Amino acid sequence: RSSTRKDFEQLERDHKRAEDTAQRFRDELGQIDAQIDDAVTTEKAAEEALKKAEENRGDRRRAMAASEERVRQAEAARDAAVSAVHDARARAMGRNERLLTMKTLLSRLDRQINEIQVRRDRVVSLGADVEKRLVELGIESEAGKEIRKKAEAESETLAASLVKVRVIHQELVTAVTRVDETLEDTRRRRDSLRSKQGDARLEFESLKLKMQALEGRMRDRYHVALSEIIPVYGEGERPGTEEATRLGELEVLLERMGEVNLAAIEEFEAVEERHVFLVAQREDLLNALADLEQAIEEIDRTSKKLFQETFECVNGHFQALFPRLFRGGEAALILTDPDNLLETGIEMYVSPPGKKVQTVELLSGGEKAMCAIALVFAVFKHRPSPFCLLDEVDAPLDEANIGRFNEVVREIAQTSQVVLVTHNKRTMEIADALYGVTMEESGVSKLVGVRMS
């Protein structure tokens, strides 16, 4: 049906295009007829103009002959006649040119008329072909209409059949849905039965294991087979609620008591011996802990005493060294937490000459270095050692501070050997011996020592 409809639509489109082409040819033929009529009218006007020109030419020729006769007859009017002849010739030449132009136009019009006639013949022939094609298309259109009618009839039949098929399909879908629902319900029931079957099997296995355990317990405790007791006591009355409750309590008590341990006496003696040993160990640990606490208290008291004495001594040396290094000012070490000497911190408050009391963080680099040197030398004075090693401590100091630093170093050198690592010349001047590394040969280092004394 779809193919037939497409063919019919294609025939209709072809028929429409053929009608449009025929109408276009008719319009063009009308235009050509109008052009031919215009050309014929123009040709008639040209012929009339040509006739008039010929008549005027004959008249002029006759007038020229009369003039020539009059010239021959009247020599006296020769000049005037010659002038008139020249004028007449000029006008005749103009008319001749116009006549040539009209002939040329007439020839061009003849050619255009011939071309238009040829195009007209071609259009007439093409119009005949178009008319013939239109007739053929009309016949094909009629045949297409018949085919279309048959196709529409078949389409209606197929549509009715399709409606029936759809009804049957819907009924089948409904039936399949009902079957699926029934199948799903059956599957759910099957799964439920399988689950119940599994639960029943588990319960059966559990009861079987309980039966086996009960048989084992009867055999172990009472040396009696369960199969022998069931005929005797199995037909008796079932215990009531109170008996069942009491039975449960007794079972709980039995489970708590556990199995009878025949080696309980030996285990008790071993546990008691272990208990006595652990108690003695605990007493020893408690005594040792008490001794340790007493020792820690003694150490804390001694540490506090030594720290207090050391702090006071170092603080005194620091307060004495600071004015020497700074040529004035004040300084002191202060405890941040005097009540807790074991965890307290130490703050350094200094007042260089001309400045207010402030912390070390607010000083310049050289002043910080001098404060650190003062503190180190104060500790060294409190607890001197055989050697004192100073590594580049004078690097941030200027010339004035270097001199004061050297004074303190010479004072410490009276009781200890001082080793200085320095690049400062003034510090080298106070040394008793100099040691350095030189490289006389490239890549070969050599140690050089000089006794300044």
Side-chain angles (χ1 to χ4, degrees):
R1 178 184 178 184
S2 176
S3 177
T4 303
R5 180 174 294 175
K6 288 180 180 180
D7 294 338
F8 181 77
E9 292 175 354
Q10 183 63 33
L11 290 173
E12 288 184 345
R13 287 193 295 270
D14 294 339
H15 180 68
K16 185 67 170 60
R17 282 197 298 270
E19 289 180 352
D20 294 340
T21 304
Q23 184 63 35
R24 188 169 62 253
F25 287 155
R26 292 192 189 98
D27 295 338
E28 187 175 358
L29 186 60
Q31 293 176 1
I32 292 171
D33 291 337
Q35 292 177 1
I36 291 172
D37 294 336
D38 293 339
V40 171
T41 303
T42 304
E43 183 181 3
K44 289 180 180 180
E47 289 177 352
E48 291 177 357
L50 183 60
K51 289 180 180 179
K52 290 180 179 180
E54 290 292 338
E55 291 176 356
N56 291 332
R57 184 179 181 184
D59 295 339
R60 292 290 182 263
R61 286 177 178 176
R62 286 192 295 273
M64 187 181 296
S67 297
E68 290 177 354
E69 183 65 24
R70 284 193 300 272
V71 167
R72 287 190 299 269
Q73 293 176 0
E75 290 290 334
R78 182 178 178 179
D79 294 333
V82 171
S83 178
V85 169
H86 286 304
D87 293 337
R89 287 180 178 177
R91 286 194 294 274
M93 290 178 66
R95 288 187 178 88
N96 288 332
E97 291 178 358
R98 289 179 62 190
L99 181 61
L100 292 175
T101 302
M102 294 300 294
K103 287 182 177 180
T104 303
L105 178 61
L106 182 61
S107 177
R108 186 167 61 252
L109 289 175
D110 289 337
R111 288 196 299 272
Q112 290 181 355
I113 290 171
N114 293 330
E115 292 176 358
I116 292 171
Q117 189 66 34
V118 172
R119 290 176 61 190
R120 180 181 179 184
D121 295 339
R122 189 184 303 113
V123 169
V124 170
S125 176
L126 184 60
D129 295 338
V130 170
E131 291 292 338
K132 183 178 179 181
R133 180 58 181 166
L134 285 175
V135 174
E136 293 176 356
L137 290 176
I139 296 172
E140 293 178 357
S141 177
E142 292 297 330
K145 289 181 180 179
E146 293 296 330
I147 295 172
R148 181 179 179 181
K149 290 180 181 179
K150 292 181 181 180
E152 288 178 352
E154 293 178 357
S155 176
E156 292 176 358
T157 304
L158 292 175
S161 302
L162 181 61
V163 171
K164 294 180 181 180
V165 170
R166 286 179 177 174
V167 172
I168 296 172
H169 177 265
Q170 187 63 35
E171 292 177 354
L172 291 175
V173 169
T174 304
V176 170
T177 303
R178 287 198 298 269
V179 170
D180 290 339
E181 292 176 354
T182 305
L183 181 60
E184 186 66 24
D185 186 30
T186 304
R187 287 175 178 173
R188 286 196 296 270
R189 291 174 59 190
R190 182 195 64 187
D191 295 338
S192 177
L193 291 175
R194 285 181 177 177
S195 178
K196 291 180 179 179
Q197 183 181 10
D199 295 339
R201 286 179 180 176
L202 291 175
E203 185 176 0
F204 174 75
E205 294 295 332
S206 177
L207 292 175
K208 186 176 179 181
L209 292 174
K210 289 181 179 179
M211 190 70 176
Q212 292 176 357
L214 184 59
E215 288 180 353
R217 289 171 59 187
M218 293 296 294
R219 190 181 304 106
D220 295 338
R221 287 190 176 185
Y222 307 108
H223 304 286
V224 178
L226 188 61
S227 58
E228 297 177 357
I229 298 176
I230 290 177
V232 178
Y233 298 99
E235 302 298 333
E237 296 182 358
R238 291 285 182 181
T241 306
E242 296 180 358
E243 289 81 358
T245 303
R246 181 57 181 168
L247 179 61
E249 294 175 355
L250 293 174
E251 288 179 351
V252 171
L253 291 174
L254 287 174
E255 290 179 358
R256 290 180 179 178
M257 291 173 63
E259 300 293 336
V260 176
N261 188 3
L262 300 178
I265 297 174
E266 290 81 2
E267 293 179 359
F268 174 74
E269 292 176 353
V271 170
E272 186 177 13
E273 182 180 358
R274 177 65 176 168
H275 176 69
V276 172
F277 173 75
L278 293 176
V279 169
Q281 291 290 322
R282 181 176 178 275
E283 293 295 333
D284 294 340
L285 290 175
L286 291 175
N287 294 331
L289 182 60
D291 294 339
L292 287 174
E293 290 178 352
Q294 185 177 359
I296 291 172
E297 291 178 359
E298 184 66 24
I299 291 171
D300 289 344
R301 285 194 299 270
T302 304
S303 299
K304 290 178 182 179
K305 181 180 178 181
L306 293 175
F307 176 78
Q308 186 69 34
E309 294 175 353
T310 303
F311 176 76
E312 292 176 355
C313 183
V314 171
N315 192 17
H317 292 305
F318 180 70
Q319 292 176 359
L321 284 171
F322 186 85
R324 291 181 58 188
L325 292 173
F326 281 87
R327 290 296 187 264
E330 297 178 352
L333 300 176
I334 299 175
L335 299 176
T336 58
D337 189 4
D339 297 331
N340 188 4
L341 295 179
L342 297 179
E343 297 181 1
T344 184
I346 299 175
E347 289 287 344
M348 183 186 298
Y349 286 93
V350 297
S351 178
K355 295 184 179 180
K356 296 181 179 179
V357 178
Q358 52 188 336
T359 59
V360 180
E361 286 77 5
L362 301 177
L363 301 178
S364 63
E367 291 174 338
K368 289 180 180 180
M370 291 293 284
C371 291
I373 291 171
L375 180 60
V376 171
F377 286 167
V379 175
F380 195 81
K381 279 181 170 291
H382 171 68
R383 187 67 60 87
S385 63
F387 291 93
C388 177
L389 177 61
L390 301 176
D391 185 8
E392 295 284 352
V393 295
D394 58 348
L397 303 181
D398 57 11
E399 291 296 327
N401 292 330
I402 285 293
R404 295 191 288 270
F405 168 74
N406 290 337
E407 292 178 4
V408 178
V409 171
R410 277 195 295 267
E411 183 180 341
I412 294 175
Q414 300 298 322
T415 57
S416 302
Q417 287 186 342
V418 180
V419 179
L420 282 168
V421 179
T422 181
H423 292 86
N424 192 282
K425 295 179 180 179
R426 294 189 58 186
T427 304
M428 294 180 188
E429 292 176 357
I430 67 170
D432 297 329
L434 294 177
Y435 296 94
V437 178
T438 183
M439 189 179 293
E440 295 180 354
E441 298 179 11
S442 179
V444 179
S445 299
K446 182 180 180 181
L447 185 64
V448 179
V450 178
R451 288 285 181 178
M452 302 301 293
S453 61

